[in-house]
Amino acid sequence: MAGNRGVVYQGPGRVEVADIAYPEFVLRDGPGVNPANVGRQLPHAAILKVVATNICGSDQHMVRGRTTAPQGLVLGHEITGEVVETGPGVEFVGVGDLVSVPFNISCGRCVNCKARRTEICLNVNPDRPGSAYGYVDMGGWVGGQAKYALVPYADWNLLKFPDRDRALEKILDLTMLSDIFPTGYHGCVTAGVGVGSSVYVAGAGPVGLAAAASALLLGAAVVIVGDMNEARLAQARGFGCETINVAEGDPGDQIEQILGVPVVDCAVDAVGFEAHGSGKDAGKEAPASVLNTAMEVTRAGGSIGIPGLYVTGDPGAADEAAKVGSLSIRFGLGWSRSHAFFTGQCPVMKYHRELMAAILADRVRIADAVNAVAIPLEEAPQGYRSFDEGAASKYVLDPNGYLGAAAS
């Protein structure tokens, strides 16, 4: 049996790459595993040799100590891999297949899965609807920032790439299918982005940049990205977006300088609960700031997509209300403007096959848009530090040398 290494959360601000258990076709007890999931038999699962696994902003929330994640949790929910073993219940996925893994774990059998709401599957997480790999309160499924990972309900969950050689040529793009590309796209779809739209995307991190690229793919006329990080704003300008630095003044005023009016057709919140204020309040944490700004700059009748993460437990929040996810949202403003709000995880399976086709047909270069940078698995702690310091990069871990081989 091969050895396994993975990225392990060791407490606020600390991750390390350590020896971890090789996957089995049963869910063992461990950090974060719900007791009701311990011993769960997985004949429907596949074991993957990980081709690429990405550091996500959602991982960073845990590493900063802004969730109730337990020490010892193996991180990582953005996984692309090669199937090396399948359980006896797997029929359509075979050894040697290159596959993308949706970060949502879903059964394919419950009422929500059958309605394409795989982000709120009812059968894989005893804590609440919805599940993910290597994430707090998501059932305890082991994370994929590792050399090997296990995927339950493999026939249902895995997206097979149609051609191995072609996939390896575009692997940095295809690895974004596990989360941030569909998530950014979902934010735009739910916001109502279409041909000729004007769109405000709050946040120029990887999800915000993926949302901006998605808005252009959907035909938006103008995409305005707001952030305080000039390097990330430059990344957005590099593929055709307008940008505003929200630390330099009111976002509505800056939008008016671009469009001639202080409102857009729709907005996407790609920031989430660790938001900061704008203008004179730019240095202060204000978890409702982005949501309130989105309402202020979205025209009456417009929609706001919210792929940015909001949580029910934030021990590091600035006030007691925010520690349980209670935010001072100007709901009356949204109501008065008849805004529509769309929240929750992205149902990756709703979009990933079509987005894969767009990548393979050279309709979008998502790895360039988010500035994907491949690093070895053992350099994951440095990747986390650089990302936390505001690097304008999407760090892609290369646990088994596939990315280096593809680049050579």
Side-chain angles (χ1 to χ4, degrees), residues 96-113:
D97 289 344
L98 284 185
V99 294
S100 178
V101 184
F103 79 88
N104 322 110
I105 301 172
S106 58
C107 71
R109 295 152 168 81
C110 72
V111 62
N112 286 341
C113 285

Side-chain angles (χ1 to χ4, degrees), residues 135-166:
Y135 211 83
V136 60
D137 294 333
M138 287 295 183
W141 300 91
V142 178
Q145 288 176 9
K147 293 176 74 67
Y148 295 89
L150 181 134
V151 177
Y153 303 102
D155 282 329
W156 166 255
N157 281 305
L158 294 178
L159 173 67
K160 179 181 174 180
F161 300 142
D163 181 270
R164 180 186 181 89
D165 291 339
R166 194 174 176 204

Side-chain angles (χ1 to χ4, degrees), residues 36-197:
N37 259 352
V38 174
R40 186 168 182 158
Q41 298 297 309
L42 307 170
H44 44 67
I47 296 172
L48 307 186
K49 187 175 185 181
V50 176
V51 172
T53 176
N54 316 328
I55 297 175
C56 180
S58 298
D59 299 320
Q60 201 66 266
H61 293 308
M62 289 188 292
V63 172
R64 291 186 187 121
R66 297 299 297 268
T67 72
T68 56
Q71 185 173 330
L73 186 71
V74 180
L75 300 172
H77 56 270
E78 301 188 11
I79 310 165
T80 305
E82 178 179 5
V83 177
V84 293
E85 188 176 354
T86 60
V90 176
E91 185 176 359
F92 303 113
V93 173
V95 171
D97 289 344
L98 284 185
V99 294
S100 178
V101 184
F103 79 88
N104 322 110
I105 301 172
S106 58
C107 71
R109 295 152 168 81
C110 72
V111 62
N112 286 341
C113 285
K114 290 181 178 180
R116 302 183 78 194
R117 297 299 305 275
T118 54
E119 83 280 19
I120 45 174
C121 174
L122 300 175
N123 288 333
V124 290
N125 181 6
D127 289 316
R128 63 184 67 174
S131 189
Y133 305 88
Y135 211 83
V136 60
D137 294 333
M138 287 295 183
W141 300 91
V142 178
Q145 288 176 9
K147 293 176 74 67
Y148 295 89
L150 181 134
V151 177
Y153 303 102
D155 282 329
W156 166 255
N157 281 305
L158 294 178
L159 173 67
K160 179 181 174 180
F161 300 142
D163 181 270
R164 180 186 181 89
D165 291 339
R166 194 174 176 204
L168 287 173
E169 289 174 2
K170 293 183 176 291
I171 198 65
L172 280 180
D173 295 283
L174 293 171
T175 192
M176 304 305 161
L177 292 173
S178 58
D179 182 356
I180 67 163
F181 191 13
T183 292
Y185 190 84
H186 177 65
C188 291
V189 169
T190 55
V193 176
V195 174
S197 298

Side-chain angles (χ1 to χ4, degrees), residues 287-297 304 328-331 333:
S289 175
V290 169
L291 291 172
N292 288 331
T293 294
M295 287 185 278
E296 290 165 3
V297 305
I304 300 167
S328 297
I329 298 170
R330 294 184 63 195
F331 190 75
L333 174 60

